[in-house]
Amino acid sequence: MHKFSQYDDYIYVNLVNTLRVELLQREIESQLIKALRPNKAVLLLGPRRVGKTVMLKKIASEQSGSTLFLNGEDQDTIDILERRSIQNYRTLLNEYSLLVVDEAQKIPDIGLKLKLIVDEIDHIKVIASGSSAFDINNQTGEPLTGRKTTFRLFPFSENELSKLENPVEQRGNLRERLVFGNYPELTYLTGRNAKEKYLRELLESYLLKDILAFDEIRMSDKIFSLLRLIAYQIGQDISYTEIGRQLGMSKNTVESYLDILEKVFILYRVGSFSSNLRKEVAKAKRWYFYDNGVRNAIISNYSPIDLRNDVGQLWENYVVAERAKFLRYREIYSETYFWRTYDQQEIDWIESKNGQLDAYEIKWSNKKKFRVPVAWRKAYPESTFEVISPDNFLGWVKPE
């Protein structure tokens, strides 16, 4: 009889945790399935390693008909789609009810090819995924006008993690997520060394590789330096001129690179709110990372929360990223901003929808009571105001 060792237990637990993660229903999964119908394409965008392929395989396995699953990074896939003709695609797809094209941005003229498929093959449903919003949208945007529904997938949200953890575990694991972030594979890695190694490889082998694939990148050595500067300025106004001076490139180049970093889902831009009052800062920008683990990998700092002097920045970045996911997944179309005056009164997060303003101040510690800034209260007396701390955070980023 086999005697189970501690190593066997580790392997078993790891396999169980991996299976739980892969079977987890993502927040957008049901919406994506509802959008599947003939003569329409569904686009799934998001950074690498957030679980797009896993989710697509899960959806395909649950469909009643047969699925053709293609990978755009495979040369055979490129070859069989190369001849853009109705007859070619009818022959290819005759026996299938669902076509899934993963990493679709790697296929030349994929937008025109998908357009021909959805226009001419009445029975087929189509999903195309891509790790680069910039690339796949450029190729599919115009050809698929009126023929597509677009979804975005991000690292795990707190709402998704609540399906893997009970409330006590979720609250306890929050401090670790501020350091290592929410990429799915991290949820079943044990030990700080394994998580650090994963994040380093994610950054070097996947995320930066996607960035450097763009023709617009003329000074690749500057990208990492730019990301480091942004990482140290979470929650602060960003001066493109000052960053350009530090990196030895023009203001316009800085803006162009930041735009690409946003389109490959590494950074998230927030503009300043102003109703043109004299004291309000009207044109400033702040930048946040979609994932705390990526931010900390950029600066090579994985120290525990209690040993850090940037916990306020980590908390603000995490809250902003989670709220952005919540709004996107719940299809809540609020305009989001920060607010600041020239005399340094400020609020971290403003949401504007249908004329209603909701203001939120993000604080790691709520021991000191924070009062709404006088200038805000006078200018927008009908607005709401709330402090978001670890005590009430989960209620703000999970549906009721």
Side-chain angles (χ1 to χ4, degrees):
M1 181 179 293
H2 177 73
K3 185 177 181 180
F4 286 95
S5 66
Q6 186 176 7
Y7 179 73
D8 291 323
D9 291 339
Y10 169 80
I11 294 296
Y12 175 75
V13 170
N14 195 50
L15 286 172
V16 170
N17 287 338
T18 302
L19 185 62
R20 289 177 67 209
V21 170
E22 291 188 351
L23 291 177
L24 174 70
Q25 181 171 333
R26 304 301 298 267
E27 285 198 64
I28 62 169
E29 190 172 320
S30 59
Q31 299 172 45
L32 191 153
I33 291 171
K34 288 179 182 177
L36 282 176
R37 55 188 186 275
N39 302 118
K40 297 288 182 181
V42 170
L43 300 186
L44 177 63
L45 306 178
R48 292 178 183 263
R49 315 305 294 179
V50 294
K52 296 189 302 298
T53 302
V54 169
M55 186 179 78
L56 292 180
K57 287 182 176 179
K58 180 173 179 286
I59 289 173
S61 70
E62 296 170 351
Q63 295 296 301
S64 57
S66 56
T67 299
L68 177 61
F69 203 106
L70 301 175
N71 188 328
E73 294 183 314
D74 178 63
Q75 187 60 48
D76 287 341
T77 292
I78 295 174
D79 291 343
I80 64 175
L81 294 178
E82 174 63 25
R83 188 162 63 90
R84 200 167 71 234
S85 75
I86 297 171
Q87 187 56 50
N88 179 40
Y89 295 152
R90 280 181 176 160
T91 301
L92 175 66
L93 299 169
N94 181 56
E95 299 179 2
Y96 300 99
S97 59
L98 175 63
L99 169 66
V100 178
V101 185
D102 203 14
E103 298 298 340
Q105 79 278 359
K106 298 292 185 179
I107 301 172
D109 299 321
I110 184 60
L112 294 171
K113 291 168 182 175
L114 291 179
K115 176 182 180 296
L116 191 61
I117 289 170
V118 299
D119 281 354
E120 300 296 336
I121 303 178
D122 292 338
H123 71 278
I124 198 76
K125 302 172 185 175
V126 176
I127 308 175
S129 80
S131 59
S132 162
F134 181 88
D135 204 359
I136 198 168
N137 275 341
N138 254 11
Q139 293 195 47
T140 63
E142 185 175 342
L144 290 178
T145 299
R147 300 172 176 86
K148 64 182 173 69
T149 304
T150 303
F151 296 91
R152 287 175 172 80
L153 189 67
F154 303 103
F156 278 160
S157 67
E158 285 286 345
N159 188 45
E160 290 168 333
L161 288 164
S162 69
K163 301 168 187 174
L164 298 173
E165 304 168 344
N166 64 45
V168 175
E169 290 173 328
Q170 194 169 10
R171 178 68 184 268
N173 289 335
L174 179 59
R175 297 168 72 88
E176 185 162 291
R177 285 200 272 271
L178 293 185
V179 177
F180 293 108
N182 292 15
Y183 270 79
E185 289 168 269
L186 289 169
T187 58
Y188 53 81
L189 289 179
T190 57
R192 301 183 67 86
N193 288 339
K195 293 183 178 184
E196 290 177 21
K197 182 179 179 181
Y198 175 84
L199 286 171
R200 283 196 300 270
E201 181 157 344
L202 173 74
L203 182 64
E204 295 168 5
S205 300
Y206 295 104
L207 302 183
L208 292 183
K209 183 180 177 182
D210 274 352
I211 297 166
L212 298 179
F214 294 123
D215 291 338
E216 288 82 355
I217 302 297
R218 296 285 182 261
M219 297 177 284
S220 60
D221 59 314
K222 302 292 186 181
I223 282 289
F224 197 82
S225 297
L226 173 59
L227 282 168
R228 283 180 62 86
L229 287 177
I230 297 298
Y232 286 118
Q233 297 183 60
I234 299 296
Q236 301 175 31
D237 297 9
I238 298 297
S239 169
Y240 300 152
T241 301
E242 176 59 24
I243 287 179
R245 186 189 64 77
Q246 293 182 58
L247 297 180
M249 54 188 184
S250 71
K251 171 179 175 288
N252 289 342
T253 301
V254 171
E255 289 188 80
S256 175
Y257 282 14
L258 286 172
D259 184 58
I260 290 172
L261 288 166
E262 183 174 31
K263 287 173 176 174
V264 295
F265 307 106
I266 292 181
L267 295 180
Y268 180 82
R269 178 196 331 231
V270 180
S272 55
F273 178 83
S274 172
S275 58
N276 295 318
L277 299 181
R278 184 171 58 87
K279 292 184 178 181
E280 291 178 330
V281 176
K283 296 182 179 180
K285 296 287 187 296
R286 292 181 181 178
W287 290 85
Y288 297 89
F289 285 78
Y290 271 110
D291 186 77
N292 273 39
V294 172
R295 184 264 183 183
N296 289 325
I298 292 289
I299 62 174
S300 299
N301 187 350
Y302 307 98
S303 298
I305 290 298
D306 294 337
L307 302 179
R308 303 182 70 121
N309 60 9
D310 61 350
V311 63
Q313 288 183 309
L314 290 179
W315 177 239
E316 183 172 340
N317 191 90
Y318 192 80
V319 169
V320 166
E322 286 302 303
R323 185 62 174 179
K325 294 175 198 174
F326 173 82
L327 295 174
R328 166 70 67 172
Y329 287 160
R330 307 308 294 181
E331 298 184 311
I332 300 172
Y333 301 107
S334 293
E335 297 293 329
T336 57
Y337 310 91
F338 70 92
W339 174 83
R340 185 170 70 80
T341 65
Y342 286 105
D343 59 0
Q344 303 307 309
Q345 297 184 61
E346 63 178 80
I347 298 175
D348 294 325
W349 188 258
I350 307 294
E351 292 180 11
S352 174
K353 183 180 180 183
N354 298 328
Q356 172 63 40
L357 291 175
D358 300 311
Y360 304 92
E361 185 66 17
I362 302 169
K363 294 293 183 186
W364 174 246
S365 173
N366 60 0
K367 293 180 180 178
K368 183 179 179 181
K369 189 172 182 179
F370 186 90
R371 298 183 182 277
V372 58
V374 173
W376 177 267
R377 188 177 69 244
K378 289 182 177 179
Y380 310 105
E382 301 301 318
S383 65
T384 67
F385 179 81
E386 186 177 3
V387 176
I388 303 299
S389 72
D391 290 335
N392 63 352
F393 160 69
L394 289 177
W396 196 50
V397 297
K398 291 171 58 178
E400 298 179 356

Coordinates of all heavy atoms in Angstrom, one line a residue, residues 28 49 124 129 178 183 211 273:
I28 N -17.9 37.7 -16.0 CA -18.5 38.1 -17.3 C -18.9 36.8 -18.1 O -19.4 37.0 -19.2 CB -17.5 38.9 -18.2 CG1 -16.2 38.1 -18.5 CG2 -17.1 40.2 -17.6 CD1 -15.3 38.7 -19.5
R49 N -2.5 35.7 -19.2 CA -2.4 35.0 -18.0 C -3.6 35.4 -17.0 O -3.5 35.0 -15.8 CB -1.1 35.2 -17.2 CG 0.1 35.0 -18.1 CD 0.2 33.8 -18.8 NE 0.3 32.6 -18.0 CZ 0.4 31.3 -18.4 NH1 0.3 31.1 -19.7 NH2 0.5 30.3 -17.6
I124 N -22.9 29.8 -37.6 CA -21.8 29.8 -36.7 C -21.8 30.9 -35.7 O -22.2 32.0 -36.1 CB -20.5 29.8 -37.6 CG1 -19.3 29.4 -36.8 CG2 -20.2 31.2 -38.2 CD1 -19.2 27.9 -36.5
S129 N -10.4 36.0 -29.0 CA -9.8 36.6 -27.8 C -8.4 37.2 -28.2 O -7.8 36.8 -29.2 CB -9.5 35.6 -26.7 OG -8.4 34.8 -27.0
L178 N -2.5 42.9 -1.6 CA -1.9 44.2 -1.8 C -0.5 44.1 -2.3 O 0.0 45.0 -3.0 CB -1.9 45.0 -0.5 CG -3.3 45.4 0.0 CD1 -3.1 46.3 1.2 CD2 -4.2 46.1 -1.0
Y183 N -3.6 37.8 -10.0 CA -3.5 36.9 -11.2 C -3.9 35.5 -10.7 O -3.5 35.0 -9.7 CB -2.1 36.9 -11.8 CG -2.0 38.0 -12.8 CD1 -1.7 39.3 -12.5 CD2 -2.1 37.7 -14.2 CE1 -1.6 40.3 -13.5 CE2 -2.0 38.6 -15.2 CZ -1.8 39.9 -14.8 OH -1.7 40.9 -15.8
I211 N 4.2 44.6 -25.0 CA 4.4 46.0 -25.2 C 5.4 46.3 -26.3 O 5.2 47.1 -27.2 CB 4.9 46.7 -23.9 CG1 3.9 46.6 -22.8 CG2 5.3 48.2 -24.1 CD1 4.5 46.9 -21.4
F273 N -11.5 65.9 -12.1 CA -12.9 66.4 -12.2 C -12.9 67.9 -12.0 O -12.3 68.5 -11.1 CB -13.8 65.8 -11.2 CG -15.2 66.3 -11.2 CD1 -16.1 65.8 -12.2 CD2 -15.6 67.3 -10.4 CE1 -17.4 66.3 -12.2 CE2 -16.9 67.9 -10.4 CZ -17.8 67.4 -11.4

